Amino acid sequence: MTTFDYIIVGAGSAGCVVANRLSADPQISVCLIEAGGNGKSPWVSIPAGIFGLYGNKKYDYSFVSVPQKNLHNRLVDVNRGKALGGSSAINSMVYIRGNRNDYDGWVALGCDGWSYNDVLPVFKKMEANQVGQSAEYHGFDGELKVSRQQDANAVGKVFVAAGQVAGLPENTDFNGPSQLGLGIYNVKQDRGQRVSSYTAFLQPIESRSNLTIMTHTEVVDLKIAGDTVLGLSIECAGVQQQLHCNKEVILCGGTILSPRILLASGIGDRDELQQLDIECKHHLPGVGENLQDHIDSMVTVRSSQSKSIGVSFKTLIPHVLTAPFKYWLSRKGWWTTNYVEAGGFAKTKLAVAADTDPDVQFHFTPLYRSHRGKRFEWGHGYSVFTCVLRPLSAGSVKLANDGSKRNVLIDFNFFAHEKDQQTLVEGVKKAREILAAPEFDHLRGEEMAPGKEVETDAQILEYLRQTATTVYHPVGTCKMGTDTQAVVHPATLKVTGMDNLRVMDASIMPCLTSGNTSASTMMIAERGAAMVLAERHG
């Protein structure tokens, strides 16, 4: 049996940050466990390599949801990173934090200490802003590099300009005073290379003698006595062994795997655990509940013009074949794209009527996305993806009743709430309004999806039921709070009723932030690690 002071489960967006902060004290022994490999691959470091990561089981868990009853019982792909860096090693690198009302809303739900004014200094501490944005909102001395895109495609700039027609101003800082408007996204990159939580926080310190990193290692369950975690069972190369914990176990497995580990260990709803023949060590009915994600739709347009990213006879020599040389010589060209180069936030008429923040987010891709679901389509075009920022529908992550204690049933319960349906219908209409602007006249082609025959709200909703999916921002399954469904306490991130078990990842969010969730997850880890150290030295 191997013994450590602190055992961190999951080396993703959160786990790498926690490992960095805790191991900075040479008196602390830290073990970081990751089910995937080291992630050191050109597919990961080159931004355009995303194309080869989603669905690649070397880097992606490739989960699949249960049939979504409000989406014609379709299964939804749930891509989550499986490597050092976790989902920050396979995502689109967009740097968005959410807005003031997101975090102040957490406080209203019982999460004291998590207001916008509380978390903004944490974001600033972690950030190394290379864009020259306002010091009121940004930091410049942290580890997480945030930059402009190296070689943004001109069609993305057309999208930004077209927003004026829809009443959407250009926004050069979505993490500043207002999210409203369109712009070219800032990204977590350094000189045209991906910046993940691994490259930012773990790689520079992985040689610390008090830090042990275990890859290709899966956590089976936790060993619990009363309110204390004694250690955990792991499996590597088919061999199981035990790790012992002197101080604490910290779950950073993410929204899917952190509740999976708790449930497999007997922490969850007593009746559900009994049905799985798992001894209930601690009755906590909120584990695995409150799953939320941004449901997403697509409008995609064909174009005869070759200005967008795409493979055609016109682009084969100037862009496709020369892309590797442009990238390695000057960090320019198509290999620098993160695909979702532009985007922004808008208010549908529902948000305007309620006088609230933007309720939809756009991710604009300056390339044609297949209306047939193909991975590759010959030719050119452009696409807008629209997601519901603050969904009211919530689902769950449960253990499958197959005896494995490892397989999960992921149910987003998308569109369970009618307001989400209405918001996304209005979001698609807003996206079409932008694409109809005169700025797109020189690129205009046929809208392949939804298609010109889809016009009424009822027709759009039916299109969404047939095609909508996740934008890969799951949160909430170990939510913090003080109500009966809360799993961790806001002041400590300790699992309710447990003395030395904490959760520090996106699963603790009581509700979704407005935008991409990677940066927010790192912030949670930074705050959580500070809680551990304060308690240790207190």
Side-chain angles (χ1 to χ4, degrees):
M1 178 179 289
T2 307
T3 302
F4 300 93
D5 291 329
Y6 295 90
I7 301 175
I8 304 165
V9 180
S13 293
C16 291
V17 177
V18 178
N20 177 303
R21 301 315 190 216
L22 297 188
S23 65
D25 183 345
Q27 302 304 312
I28 296 176
S29 62
V30 177
C31 178
L32 178 63
I33 301 173
E34 169 57 40
N38 61 28
K40 293 179 180 178
S41 163
W43 287 114
V44 174
S45 61
I46 297 170
I50 302 168
F51 191 82
L53 296 175
Y54 288 140
N56 183 333
K57 293 194 176 181
K58 182 177 180 181
Y59 306 104
D60 182 358
Y61 278 99
S62 299
F63 295 117
V64 178
S65 77
V66 301
Q68 297 298 286
K69 61 179 180 292
N70 299 303
L71 302 181
H72 294 325
N73 288 317
R74 287 189 295 113
L75 307 182
V76 173
D77 290 334
V78 187
N79 302 115
R80 309 309 299 154
K82 188 178 183 182
L84 294 179
S87 292
S88 73
I90 71 169
N91 67 11
S92 296
M93 297 158 277
V94 176
Y95 184 72
I96 298 287
R97 302 171 181 167
N99 66 49
R100 175 180 292 274
N101 288 332
D102 292 333
Y103 299 103
D104 291 348
W106 290 6
V107 176
L109 292 173
C111 299
D112 291 341
W114 290 87
S115 72
Y116 181 77
N117 288 339
D118 292 319
V119 303
L120 178 59
V122 183
F123 280 116
K124 292 170 67 175
K125 174 191 174 184
M126 304 178 78
E127 184 184 6
N129 187 280
Q130 300 177 326
V131 186
Q133 292 170 314
S134 168
E136 182 178 355
Y137 297 98
H138 295 278
F140 307 94
D141 302 318
E143 296 98 330
L144 188 68
K145 290 184 171 64
V146 176
S147 68
R148 291 188 178 91
Q149 293 175 49
Q150 289 290 106
D151 196 8
N153 187 273
V155 177
K157 298 168 186 176
V158 173
F159 176 75
V160 175
Q164 303 285 337
V165 171
L168 296 172
E170 181 176 3
N171 191 333
T172 58
D173 187 0
F174 294 116
N175 301 299
S178 172
Q179 286 188 311
L180 186 69
L182 305 182
I184 304 298
Y185 281 132
N186 289 338
V187 288
K188 300 189 293 293
Q189 291 182 11
D190 182 21
R191 296 186 295 268
Q193 288 188 293
R194 173 188 295 275
V195 172
S196 69
S197 61
Y198 167 69
T199 63
F201 297 99
L202 187 62
Q203 190 174 36
I205 58 93
E206 61 185 345
S207 61
R208 287 176 180 169
S209 60
N210 62 328
L211 174 62
T212 299
I213 302 171
M214 305 177 70
T215 55
H216 300 293
T217 303
E218 184 177 11
V219 173
V220 180
D221 57 18
L222 309 174
K223 300 307 172 188
I224 297 170
D227 64 356
T228 303
V229 179
L230 304 177
L232 43 79
S233 296
I234 60 172
E235 183 175 301
C236 184
V239 178
Q240 288 200 13
Q241 68 178 99
Q242 306 289 311
L243 298 182
H244 182 69
C245 162
N246 282 333
K247 301 292 185 183
E248 297 188 20
V249 170
I250 300 169
L251 297 184
C252 298
T255 298
I256 308 301
L257 292 177
S258 284
R260 195 282 292 170
I261 293 169
L262 291 176
L263 293 169
S265 307
I267 300 176
D269 183 82
R270 182 180 291 108
D271 293 339
E272 292 185 4
L273 291 171
Q274 185 175 2
Q275 293 173 11
L276 297 168
D277 291 325
I278 296 175
E279 179 187 355
C280 182
K281 300 293 183 66
H282 189 54
H283 176 60
L284 203 57
V287 174
E289 300 296 331
N290 192 48
L291 173 63
Q292 301 170 37
D293 203 343
H294 293 136
I295 186 170
D296 197 47
S297 68
M298 178 180 74
V299 177
T300 188
V301 179
R302 278 281 198 194
S303 176
S304 60
Q305 300 299 310
S306 59
K307 297 183 183 298
S308 65
I309 297 170
V311 179
S312 66
F313 292 118
K314 293 178 181 178
T315 61
L316 202 56
I317 294 176
H319 294 294
V320 178
L321 297 179
T322 59
F325 304 99
K326 290 179 179 179
Y327 182 80
W328 293 117
L329 293 174
S330 61
R331 292 292 193 264
K332 298 291 185 181
W334 286 0
W335 277 22
T336 67
T337 186
N338 69 331
Y339 299 105
V340 289
E341 294 186 352
F345 299 82
K347 294 184 180 185
T348 69
K349 67 179 185 182
L350 302 175
V352 172
D355 192 25
T356 63
D357 290 323
D359 56 349
V360 294
Q361 180 181 7
F362 300 120
H363 293 90
F364 179 81
T365 61
L367 72 160
Y368 179 71
R369 293 296 294 268
S370 174
H371 64 290
R372 296 175 285 205
K374 290 185 176 181
R375 193 159 192 172
F376 170 79
E377 289 267 2
W378 179 268
H380 295 271
Y382 44 91
S383 310
V384 183
F385 293 82
T386 309
C387 69
V388 178
L389 282 176
R390 290 178 297 281
L392 298 176
S393 305
S396 62
V397 173
K398 306 283 189 184
L399 279 184
N401 194 1
D402 59 5
S404 72
K405 295 180 25 174
R406 302 190 194 190
N407 296 323
V408 289
L409 303 174
I410 303 169
D411 184 5
F412 292 105
N413 200 23
F414 281 139
F415 274 178
H417 201 288
E418 186 178 358
K419 176 75 176 297
D420 297 345
Q421 302 172 23
Q422 296 170 345
T423 300
L424 196 50
V425 167
E426 293 300 323
V428 169
K429 289 156 70 173
K430 181 67 72 171
R432 281 174 150 178
E433 182 182 353
I434 298 168
L435 296 183
E439 282 77 4
F440 276 101
D441 284 350
H442 67 294
L443 299 170
R444 198 168 307 286
E446 182 181 359
E447 180 187 281
M448 305 302 293
K452 61 183 180 182
E453 69 282 357
V454 177
E455 295 182 353
T456 68
D457 287 6
Q459 289 171 332
I460 295 173
L461 179 58
E462 176 58 22
Y463 165 73
L464 295 174
R465 292 191 193 279
Q466 293 175 5
T467 61
T469 184
T470 165
V471 76
Y472 314 122
H473 299 155
V475 308
T477 52
C478 300
K479 78 167 188 173
M480 62 177 171
T482 55
D483 61 279
T484 57
Q485 289 294 300
V487 176
V488 302
H489 194 279
T492 62
L493 300 188
K494 286 186 178 180
V495 173
T496 303
M498 298 298 294
D499 181 60
N500 68 335
L501 176 62
R502 308 194 203 219
V503 183
M504 301 177 189
D505 55 35
S507 72
I508 74 157
M509 295 186 191
C511 54
L512 265 166
T513 53
S514 300
N516 311 68
T517 51
S518 179
S520 301
T521 303
M522 295 179 192
M523 177 276 293
I524 288 168
E526 180 78 42
R527 295 204 75 206
M531 292 172 185
V532 173
L533 294 172
E535 188 172 314
R536 175 179 171 83
H537 297 129

